[in-house]
Amino acid sequence: MTSPHDVVLSVDSITKDFRLRRGAEGRGGTTSHRAVDGVSFNLQRGEILGLAGGSGSGKTTLARCIIRLVEPDSGSVLLDGSDVLSLKGKELRRMRRRIQMVFQDPYSSLNPRLSIGSAILEVGRVHSRPGADDGDQFVREMLDRVQLSPALALRMPRELSGGQRQRVAIARALAAGPDVLIADEAVSALDVSVQAQLLNLFSNLRDELGLSIIFVAHQLAVLASIADRVAVMSAGELVELGTTKDVFQSPQHDYTKALLDAHPRADPTQRIDPR
Ligand SMILES: Nc1ncnc2c1ncn2[C@@H]1O[C@H](COP(=O)(O)OP(=O)(O)OP(=O)(O)O)[C@@H](O)[C@H]1O
Ligand SMILES: [Mg+2]
């Protein structure tokens, strides 16, 4: 386990309100909905932090606030001690390289007209990654990290299975050379056996590259085998945060208990990589 002081990402009191139009055609004025409500947590270097919570609890909005795809209304995000929310221009782009996101549907992030190899290389070149000049070697290396054959470089996204496509999405994220990976429901659309392989892959990437990962999932069960700690969101708030073992064995919040009761088979002692 990493030293408790080795914090890579520090999220403090993040709040995000969405303004919504009331009534038909917005004639009733506006109302506001608090999607994220004062969320704070630290991510340790090399840690996998699971983030669970029901649909609409604010997980994706929180993730988007962290990388500033959405501007939070208040709070702070520190990446290695520097304030992410005040960055502009070049500095903002540099931060975006260091925190990469992988989404549930790789179709949305993969250009259907670009071969797998070109898609990976594009990211490496945009961020001037070492080795990206030698395209073939760079692509081979990224495919190797996600355990895909180099032969797939020439294929198009539609020619891959869902699991392979998600591996390509991960390879693209890795091509940027990130320190932090945020996987938002990255395995949720896949069947159980492919899910297990991908969880294994995330775990290996943490071990081999020292990546720090926020792993978002509806179901706590998915997190049991992979997360070091688990956070639970409900209605925009972080209601529970603890080691995976503690949260599964003695959940404090009623909402966490309800989530656990919904998936009673989860067992954090059956870890992929006992540490
Ligand atoms: N762009 C937006 N405009 C208005 N409301 C939004 C917007 N994005 C999200 N919301 C609302 O914010 C709340 C949190 O949504 P969010 O997508 O963050 O939840 P989630 O936990 O990721 O859900 P899921 O598990 O279904 O992915 C929801 O009530 C949602 O309707
Ligand atoms: Mg979501």
Side-chain angles (χ1 to χ4, degrees):
M1 201 61 203
T2 50
S3 137
H5 303 295
D6 198 6
V7 171
V8 62
L9 192 73
S10 176
V11 173
D12 189 17
S13 312
I14 288 291
T15 294
K16 176 67 192 176
D17 293 327
F18 285 116
R19 268 157 286 283
L20 306 168
R21 282 188 202 93
R22 222 189 303 205
E25 296 161 14
R27 282 195 198 122
T30 59
T31 170
S32 134
H33 171 72
R34 183 150 292 181
V36 178
D37 193 358
V39 171
S40 304
F41 65 89
N42 285 336
L43 179 68
Q44 311 286 336
R45 203 175 305 280
E47 174 183 39
I48 300 183
L49 176 69
L51 179 60
S55 191
S57 59
K59 306 179 298 294
T60 296
T61 305
L62 173 64
R64 292 167 75 88
C65 284
I66 292 172
I67 59 168
R68 288 183 61 194
L69 284 176
V70 156
E71 293 292 336
D73 294 307
S74 59
S76 75
V77 177
L78 303 181
L79 177 64
D80 273 330
S82 22
D83 179 6
V84 164
L85 300 183
S86 68
L87 299 178
K88 291 192 186 78
K90 207 166 147 190
E91 306 266 276
L92 180 59
R93 281 197 296 280
R94 194 172 305 151
M95 179 281 288
R96 290 232 165 94
R97 177 185 79 69
R98 294 186 57 199
I99 310 179
Q100 290 286 308
M101 256 183 106
V102 177
F103 300 92
Q104 173 167 350
D105 173 20
Y107 264 124
S108 61
S109 53
L110 292 175
N111 181 336
R113 280 178 289 277
L114 217 53
S115 72
I116 300 309
S118 309
I120 291 172
L121 196 57
E122 184 184 51
V123 176
R125 292 211 164 131
V126 162
H127 295 292
S128 313
R129 297 307 295 154
D133 293 340
D134 181 0
D136 288 348
Q137 176 59 26
F138 185 81
V139 168
R140 235 190 329 268
E141 220 176 287
M142 294 307 138
L143 288 174
D144 187 57
R145 283 192 183 160
V146 297
Q147 295 154 8
L148 286 179
S149 150
L152 291 188
L154 297 173
R155 301 250 199 108
M156 305 305 279
R158 66 170 182 280
E159 299 171 321
L160 303 186
S161 71
Q164 286 173 326
R165 243 183 336 255
Q166 197 54 285
R167 283 174 194 266
V168 170
I170 299 166
R172 277 193 91 212
L174 295 177
D179 299 303
V180 175
L181 201 63
I182 304 180
D184 189 2
E185 309 278 1
V187 302
S188 307
L190 303 165
D191 73 45
V192 174
S193 67
V194 181
Q195 243 183 35
Q197 291 166 12
L198 272 161
L199 289 174
N200 236 320
L201 175 65
F202 279 106
S203 192
N204 290 341
L205 290 172
R206 179 268 299 277
D207 294 344
E208 287 162 16
L209 305 175
L211 273 180
S212 314
I213 301 175
I214 298 175
F215 198 92
V216 179
H218 277 91
Q219 300 177 1
L220 269 166
V222 173
L223 303 173
S225 65
I226 188 177
D228 298 303
R229 289 188 303 153
V230 168
V232 177
M233 282 184 80
S234 170
E237 290 183 61
L238 204 82
V239 295
E240 181 130 13
L241 174 62
T243 65
T244 305
K245 185 163 162 271
D246 285 351
V247 171
F248 276 77
Q249 286 180 357
S250 51
Q252 300 300 303
H253 198 279
D254 285 345
Y255 185 74
T256 314
K257 289 176 193 161
L259 275 185
L260 283 170
D261 287 344
H263 306 282
R265 279 173 304 152
D267 180 358
T269 59
Q270 301 294 306
R271 293 182 58 85
I272 293 169
D273 62 333
R275 328 176 348 136

